[in-house]
Amino acid sequence: MGIVNLTPDSFSDGGQHAAPAAALAHARRLLDEGADLLDLGAESTRPGAVPVGDEEEWRRLEPVLRELVSWKVPLSVDTYHPRTMRAALEMGADVVNDVWALRRPGALEAVAASPAAGACLMHMQGEPSTMQQAPHYDDVAAEVTGFLGQRVQALRQAGVALERLCVDPGFGFGKTREHNLQLARRLGQLRGLGCALLVGVSRKSMLAATSGQAPRERVAASLGAALACVAAGAQVLRVHDVAATRDAVRTFEAMRA
């Protein structure tokens, strides 16, 4: 899953692809590098991010999504706003990727009303503006697994088939570095939920303690983390560096086989 940030305040690229033309050029580059699907985000959810309304989010998203739909490639929209979900699905997006796991009023209904749509349900303790201030867990892996299991069940009760869902443990979303490491070591528990497992560790600050690098310089650390997640059962990798990740995963899987 190649990341296309349409925000002026992304932690990883700082608005480099915020303009539609730049976003589309980046999308083409990710596809050429071998991305299987693109994830479009028009509101930053990095720690401390200031929320934007759904009108501004759609203003940023609409021209890029409209063009990408005509490319006939799988598209995911990273949003927690129900209005954006409905508009994006009506335009032709394939997946809703929600850091709130469809808990906001109307979000679950937006996905349930689109029988062909997929959904990614992510765990987050708190909300982006405050989530890293004092995260606490008694057992982070058990709590994340329990929460995501409840959300999967809520979607199934709303008529959403299990094969339409994937879960994301939410590395870095209301978690300390130690929480992230504990969660990574027990990542395989999430496979017991019966749906696909997506992880996003690319360039995140959790890697800085071991790499000591700025976000754009964390490619090697991101690859190491991605391979650890693949070994634990991750099936979808949400990444900035598609070509490097594909090469690393293909080599890892060939040697492991």
Side-chain angles (χ1 to χ4, degrees), residues 190-212:
L190 291 172
R191 293 298 305 276
L193 298 179
C195 52
L197 173 58
L198 178 150
V199 295
V201 292
S202 180
R203 301 188 186 181
K204 286 189 173 179
S205 61
M206 62 179 279
L207 306 175
T210 51
S211 73

Side-chain angles (χ1 to χ4, degrees), residues 56-72:
E56 173 62 17
E57 181 185 45
W58 184 245
R59 184 193 68 78
R60 299 171 181 176
L61 176 63
E62 189 271 339
V64 178
L65 178 61
R66 185 176 297 279
E67 173 61 23
L68 287 177
V69 165
S70 72
W71 293 9
K72 306 296 183 183

Side-chain angles (χ1 to χ4, degrees), residues 169-233:
F171 286 111
F173 281 77
K175 300 168 183 73
T176 65
R177 178 174 181 269
E178 185 55 35
H179 291 146
N180 290 319
L181 293 177
Q182 291 176 20
L183 188 56
R185 293 175 190 130
R186 295 166 59 189
L187 190 61
Q189 291 182 201
L190 291 172
R191 293 298 305 276
L193 298 179
C195 52
L197 173 58
L198 178 150
V199 295
V201 292
S202 180
R203 301 188 186 181
K204 286 189 173 179
S205 61
M206 62 179 279
L207 306 175
T210 51
S211 73
Q213 303 291 333
R216 294 189 193 183
E217 298 170 343
R218 295 174 190 156
V219 178
S222 298
L223 297 180
L227 295 182
C229 292
V230 169

Side-chain angles (χ1 to χ4, degrees), residues 4 11-12 91 199 213:
V4 182
F11 85 93
S12 64
M91 188 173 284
V199 295
Q213 303 291 333

